[in-house]
Amino acid sequence: QKEVEQDPGPLSVPEGAIVSLNCTYSNSAFQYFMWYRQYSRKGPELLMYTYSSGNKEDGRFTAQVDKSSKYISLFIRDSQPSDSATYLCAMSATGDYKLTFGKGTLLTVNP
Amino acid sequence: DAGITQSPRHKVTETGTPVTLRCHQTENHRYMYWYRQDPGHGLRLIHYSYGVKDTDKGEVSDGYSVSRSKTEDFLLTLESATSSQTSVYFCASGASGSLYEETQYFGPGTRLLVL
C-alpha cells in the first residue's frame, strides 16, 4: 500500500460545479497537509495548507483534514475553467521536512 | 512566492554524457530538494539538502549526485545520462520555523530529453 493514495482521474465537470478532490494516507505521524495546483508545463504552486485536523477556507477553496479516518479533501466551489489543472495532495510529519505526494488528479472545468 | 529559478529550462543530450541542472533560490531557505516528475509516478524525490554541504538521498537517487556550496544554489548532476532519466525535473525549497512549516515552494522545472 502506498503511503498516499489519490485518484488520478481525469475528472471533468461543467463550469459552476462543486468539485471534491480526495487523498487517503496510511502514516498516522502526518501532521501537515497541503494541496498544490499544477498547470500544464508549470511547477506546482501551494494552494492550501492545514496543520493537523480541521477545515480551512480560502475564497472558493476549502481544505478538510480528518485524521481519524486518514482522509483529506479539497473542495472547489463555483468551479471555473481557470481551475483546470492537476491537483496534488502532499503531507509531512513533524520535523521530517520531506513531503509525501499523491500522484495528482487531473481536473478539467468545461465552460 | 519563493524566488526559485532553474537552468536550463530545456535540454537535449545524448546517452552517456554528463548533465548538470542548476537551482537558485533567493529566499534564504535552509532546505532544498530535487524531484523528477513522470507520468504515472507523480513527483519523486531524488536528493535533498538540509544545509550547505549537507545532503541526503531520496527515493530515486541512483545515477544522480548533488552539491550545495552556497545556501542559494543546489546542483543536480547526472553522471552519465541514460534514456530512463528523460523527465521533468523540479527544484523546491523550504524553511523551518516559517509561517507554513514544512511547506515547499517549487521552481518552473527543467525538461530533459536523453537521446
Side-chain angles (χ1 to χ4, degrees):
Chain A
Q1 182 188 7
K2 295 282 286 183
E3 270 199 301
V4 178
E5 300 276 3
Q6 183 176 9
D7 187 338
L11 183 60
S12 182
V13 301
E15 184 175 352
I18 297 174
V19 176
S20 173
L21 304 168
N22 311 293
C23 288
T24 58
Y25 63 95
S26 57
N27 188 345
S28 58
F30 287 149
Q31 293 275 15
Y32 301 88
F33 303 92
M34 286 144 254
W35 287 94
Y36 285 82
R37 179 175 61 195
Q38 185 177 21
Y39 291 116
S40 180
R41 304 180 75 86
K42 301 289 186 183
E45 59 177 330
L46 181 66
L47 185 62
M48 297 290 283
Y49 171 92
T50 309
Y51 171 69
S52 194
S53 286
N55 294 357
K56 184 173 182 179
E57 186 174 324
D58 184 2
R60 296 184 294 109
F61 299 90
T62 299
Q64 289 186 351
V65 175
D66 181 350
K67 291 188 68 181
S68 62
S69 302
K70 297 189 177 67
Y71 188 87
I72 70 170
S73 301
L74 177 70
F75 296 96
I76 307 174
R77 292 183 299 280
D78 187 26
S79 56
Q80 301 295 309
S82 59
D83 296 328
S84 298
T86 296
Y87 290 81
L88 302 155
C89 64
M91 45 200 81
S92 179
T94 300
D96 193 2
Y97 297 105
K98 290 185 298 205
L99 294 177
T100 301
F101 285 89
K103 290 185 178 180
T105 300
L106 177 60
L107 170 68
T108 301
V109 180
N110 301 298
Chain B
D1 289 342
I4 302 178
T5 57
Q6 293 183 231
S7 59
R9 295 293 313 280
H10 301 86
K11 186 169 182 66
V12 180
T13 191
E14 293 189 348
T15 298
T17 60
V19 176
T20 296
L21 307 183
R22 179 176 181 257
C23 178
H24 180 77
Q25 55 107 350
T26 58
E27 301 297 316
N28 200 34
H29 284 165
R30 176 183 175 188
Y31 297 89
M32 296 187 75
Y33 310 82
W34 277 107
Y35 293 88
R36 60 179 290 174
Q37 188 174 41
D38 304 286
H41 292 279
L43 280 165
R44 292 183 289 176
L45 182 65
I46 305 172
H47 281 281
Y48 65 101
S49 170
Y50 45 95
V52 173
K53 300 191 188 301
D54 292 323
T55 64
D56 206 348
K57 296 179 179 180
E59 63 177 299
V60 290
S61 59
D62 288 349
Y64 301 95
S65 62
V66 290
S67 66
R68 192 170 179 199
S69 59
K70 296 187 291 184
T71 298
E72 57 267 34
D73 291 327
F74 194 32
L75 304 181
L76 175 71
T77 297
L78 289 65
E79 303 290 347
S80 177
T82 68
S83 58
S84 64
Q85 292 176 313
T86 292
S87 187
V88 181
Y89 291 86
F90 288 102
C91 176
S93 71
S96 60
S98 63
L99 178 61
Y100 293 149
E101 190 87 358
E102 308 274 354
T103 302
Q104 295 177 20
Y105 299 90
F106 284 80
T110 294
R111 292 184 172 273
L112 177 66
L113 174 61
V114 183
L115 300 175

